[in-house]
Amino acid sequence: MNYIIPVFIDVIVPILILLGIGLILQRKFQFRLRPIANLVTYCFMPAAVFINIYYAEIDLQLVFQLLLYLSLFITILIILSNILSRLLKLGNGEAAALKNSISLMNSGNYGLPVSQLVFSSNPLGVSVQIIVLVVQNLLTFTYGLYNLISASKSIIELLRDLIKLPIIHALILAVIFKIFEAPIPTPLLVPVEQLAGGFPALALILLGAQLESIKIRSFHKVIPWSLFGRLITGPVVALILIFTLGMEGVIAQSLFIASAFPTSRNTATLALEYDVEPELHAQIVLYSTLLSSITVTLVIFLSMQLF
């Protein structure tokens, strides 16, 4: 239980502060949010994903060991969220919010700090989280983006947008540079690093600005299902898979903790960019982030007891 206060202070509080800054600034200045969302999606976000993948110190043996687990974990969550959206008879936009909120986790500015705190004396735990982060980046800008675009556009328009999207180019370039271990000239690397460094703050400020116009009185029926799927079902599925696959020690701890992270803030950013239920996505991110201060710390405690 010693992890509860540090996790809340070092991870949750900074996120809430940035959300609050965005909310206060939007209330005072009433920014046009669409251009800011474009800036995040087409500039800051690709840089952040590129840098995350380019700098990740990943052991190939560890990657192969985790591949089966991650494939099963993601597949199960996608299937469950699709079944749930059909049972609830949701519209396209609402279904996209539910599917993405359950399947996509905040493994970046939330997951890495938590892992670095918990596994400060064991770098293997952080390495596992980096692999999860890379997989989540790929999932967000393939499956997650497909859910959003297909909710409002045809298949042809979807393919065109996917091909043109800078994040896809950034992922491909990062993988190429990583495979060939190609160095990047400093004049090019420095601005990319600076853009990547600004992404978490700008994305959270943007999310806070989105939240300013949200009437919390309207509690959509999708929200409790999203929260249950992301914060409860995710760790339960992870625990079952970990025991089934016989994983132990730090790897099991890290995977179990990673399964409990709240919904990715990128879901709200992309939803605003493509105008697919942006307020619903933003509310889900807000509530899941707030409640995760309880669920994540509980999962951390359980992981230390079980493994």
Side-chain angles (χ1 to χ4, degrees):
M1 297 299 285
N2 294 332
Y3 291 109
I4 292 179
I5 295 178
V7 167
F8 184 80
I9 293 176
D10 294 340
V11 179
I12 303 298
V13 170
I15 290 175
L16 294 179
I17 288 174
L18 288 170
L19 290 174
I21 290 173
L23 189 149
I24 292 171
L25 290 176
Q26 179 65 12
R27 181 165 295 176
K28 180 175 177 60
F29 297 107
Q30 291 299 305
F31 297 115
R32 291 177 57 211
L33 297 184
R34 180 59 61 81
I36 301 176
N38 290 340
L39 183 64
V40 171
T41 302
Y42 289 92
C43 187
F44 285 84
M45 191 181 296
V49 172
F50 179 89
I51 289 298
N52 277 329
I53 296 176
Y54 181 73
Y55 279 131
E57 295 296 331
I58 301 174
D59 184 349
L60 289 180
Q61 291 184 345
L62 180 60
V63 172
F64 290 128
Q65 185 178 6
L66 298 177
L67 184 60
L68 177 60
Y69 166 86
L70 290 174
S71 299
L72 291 172
F73 179 72
I74 292 170
T75 300
I76 291 172
L77 290 184
I78 289 176
I79 292 173
L80 290 176
S81 62
N82 274 270
I83 292 174
L84 184 57
S85 66
R86 290 179 181 274
L87 291 176
L88 294 175
K89 298 179 180 179
L90 301 176
N92 288 336
E94 296 169 337
L98 179 65
K99 295 173 187 177
N100 283 350
S101 64
I102 294 176
S103 304
L104 306 179
M105 304 178 293
N106 191 342
S107 300
N109 73 310
Y110 192 113
L112 278 180
V114 169
S115 296
Q116 289 168 344
L117 175 66
V118 176
F119 301 106
S120 58
S121 60
N122 195 329
L124 177 59
V126 179
S127 297
V128 171
Q129 179 53 39
I130 289 175
I131 294 173
V132 175
L133 170 60
V134 171
V135 172
Q136 278 291 311
N137 279 331
L138 291 169
L139 187 66
T140 297
F141 301 107
T142 51
Y143 172 76
L145 189 59
Y146 168 79
N147 284 333
L148 289 172
I149 299 177
S150 63
S152 59
K153 298 190 178 185
S154 67
I155 296 298
I156 299 299
E157 291 174 319
L158 166 64
L159 293 176
R160 287 175 182 170
D161 281 351
L162 286 175
I163 292 173
K164 293 187 297 184
L165 198 63
I167 188 64
I168 302 298
H169 304 157
L171 287 170
I172 295 173
L173 282 174
V175 170
I176 292 174
F177 275 93
K178 193 72 178 174
I179 291 176
F180 293 100
E181 299 182 352
I184 301 176
T186 300
L188 295 177
L189 183 60
V190 170
V192 174
E193 288 179 331
Q194 290 175 339
L195 288 171
F199 170 64
L202 184 57
L204 287 169
I205 289 174
L206 173 61
L207 177 58
Q210 288 178 252
L211 297 175
E212 190 276 336
S213 61
I214 293 176
K215 294 180 174 59
I216 302 298
R217 295 191 302 269
S218 57
F219 195 79
H220 199 285
K221 66 178 181 180
V222 168
I223 295 176
W225 290 106
S226 296
L227 298 178
F228 182 81
R230 174 82 301 278
L231 301 178
I232 306 299
T233 304
V236 170
V237 170
L239 195 60
I240 293 173
L241 287 175
I242 289 169
F243 283 131
T244 301
L245 298 175
M247 293 180 165
E248 299 177 345
V250 173
I251 294 177
Q253 290 176 341
S254 185
L255 290 174
F256 186 37
I257 293 171
S259 71
F261 296 147
T263 297
S264 171
R265 70 181 185 279
N266 292 335
T267 61
T269 303
L270 291 172
L272 179 60
E273 163 64 21
Y274 290 100
D275 195 23
V276 180
E277 298 287 350
E279 291 193 0
L280 176 57
H281 280 84
Q283 284 194 62
I284 292 172
V285 173
L286 172 64
Y287 287 124
S288 66
T289 301
L290 292 174
L291 288 178
S292 69
S293 62
I294 299 173
T295 57
V296 169
T297 49
L298 177 60
V299 168
I300 290 173
F301 174 73
L302 291 176
S303 70
M304 299 304 168
Q305 302 300 312
L306 295 173
F307 307 109

